């Protein structure tokens, strides 16, 4: 995987969604078939021998690579959605993020006790969304939780928000 080529393909959008935020737009990665394939191959390599039975994608950009990875791992895919988007009974978790508060939900029948799960999202910033996702998934009593991001913004120290017993992997790390 050519990480430098992938980094160059990420679009930087200043002052989005609010002034002072330098948004890393990964949609530019997904429109390039070769980069999309490289990402899929790279993520599959990282997790192919972990026994993962479910991949959970966090709304909304986690819905792109999450299902691709689930299919490659012969695992099921489960969406973690924002409040009010799922039609059946849910578990919910409120959390703070860089620019406000939010709530995420997952269907109560999405995971069975003891399953090996991988939570995927596009970017690790302050870690609030993923920390809430890990707390949400612990309600199912999984056998193991893995966490993956395409991008990590090291300066924001988001790993510190996520429980120490969770293995975290990222493909691309930005110091700033």
């Amino acid at each position: 995987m050519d990480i430098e080529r992938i980094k160059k393909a990420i679009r930087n959008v200043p002052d989005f969604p609010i002034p002072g935020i330098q948004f890393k737009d990964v949609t530019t990665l997904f429109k390039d078939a070769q980069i999309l394939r490289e990402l899929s191959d790279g993520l599959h390599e990282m997790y192919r021998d972990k026994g993962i039975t479910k991949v959970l994608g966090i709304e909304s950009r986690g819905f792109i690579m999450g299902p691709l990875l689930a299919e490659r791992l012969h695992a099921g895919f489960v969406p973690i959605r924002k409040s009010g988007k799922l039609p059946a009974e849910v578990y919910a978790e409120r959390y703070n993020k860089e620019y406000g508060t939010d709530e995420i939900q997952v269907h109560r029948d999405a995971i069975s006790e003891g399953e090996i799960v991988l939570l995927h999202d596009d970017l690790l910033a302050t870690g609030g969304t993923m920390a809430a996702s890990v707390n949400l998934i612990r309600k199912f009593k999984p056998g193991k939780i893995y966490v993956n991001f395409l991008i990590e913004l090291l300066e924001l120290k988001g790993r510190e928000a996520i429980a120490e017993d969770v293995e975290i992997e990222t493909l691309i790390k930005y110091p700033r």
Side-chain angles (χ1 to χ4, degrees):
M1 181 172 359
D2 186 346
I3 294 296
E4 287 309 310
R5 187 170 72 82
I6 292 170
K7 279 176 130 175
K8 287 177 185 173
I10 295 168
R11 178 179 15 221
N12 289 306
V13 182
D15 298 321
F16 182 83
I18 62 169
I21 300 292
Q22 175 81 332
F23 189 81
K24 301 288 187 195
D25 180 12
V26 295
T27 62
T28 53
L29 301 178
F30 307 139
K31 72 178 185 178
D32 183 309
Q34 184 170 342
I35 290 176
L36 185 60
R37 190 171 17 267
E38 284 184 48
L39 291 171
S40 179
D41 290 345
L43 290 171
H44 177 255
E45 260 318 292
M46 292 169 91
Y47 295 103
R48 67 185 178 133
D49 297 324
K50 306 279 188 188
I52 291 166
T53 57
K54 292 279 175 22
V55 176
L56 293 95
I58 299 171
E59 188 169 337
S60 67
R61 289 170 302 276
F63 293 175
I64 298 167
M65 292 307 301
L68 290 175
L69 184 54
E71 190 277 329
R72 296 279 308 270
L73 294 171
H74 306 286
F77 175 77
V78 174
I80 295 178
R81 305 276 333 250
K82 292 180 180 165
S83 185
K85 303 284 185 176
L86 295 171
E89 288 188 49
V90 297
Y91 287 123
E93 186 79 21
R94 287 197 72 64
Y95 65 100
N96 294 319
K97 55 186 194 175
E98 308 89 286
Y99 36 84
T101 62
D102 217 338
E103 181 178 271
I104 53 172
Q105 299 179 337
V106 67
H107 279 135
R108 286 183 178 238
D109 62 355
I111 301 167
S112 298
E113 185 174 333
E115 287 201 84
I116 309 300
V117 300
L118 169 62
L119 289 98
H120 172 76
D121 204 0
D122 66 322
L123 184 127
L124 173 57
T126 62
T129 305
M130 188 56 77
S133 297
V134 168
N135 290 340
L136 187 63
I137 298 314
R138 286 195 194 282
K139 294 175 182 181
F140 292 97
K141 300 180 181 153
K144 175 83 174 152
I145 299 174
Y146 294 96
V147 165
N148 174 266
F149 300 93
L150 298 179
I151 298 170
E152 180 175 1
L153 305 177
L154 296 170
E155 176 183 28
L156 298 177
K157 300 180 181 179
R159 284 177 183 256
E160 294 175 9
I162 301 168
E164 290 182 18
D165 66 325
V166 174
E167 184 179 309
I168 305 168
E169 295 284 344
T170 58
L171 293 179
I172 301 165
K173 295 177 180 165
Y174 287 100
R176 293 185 114 335

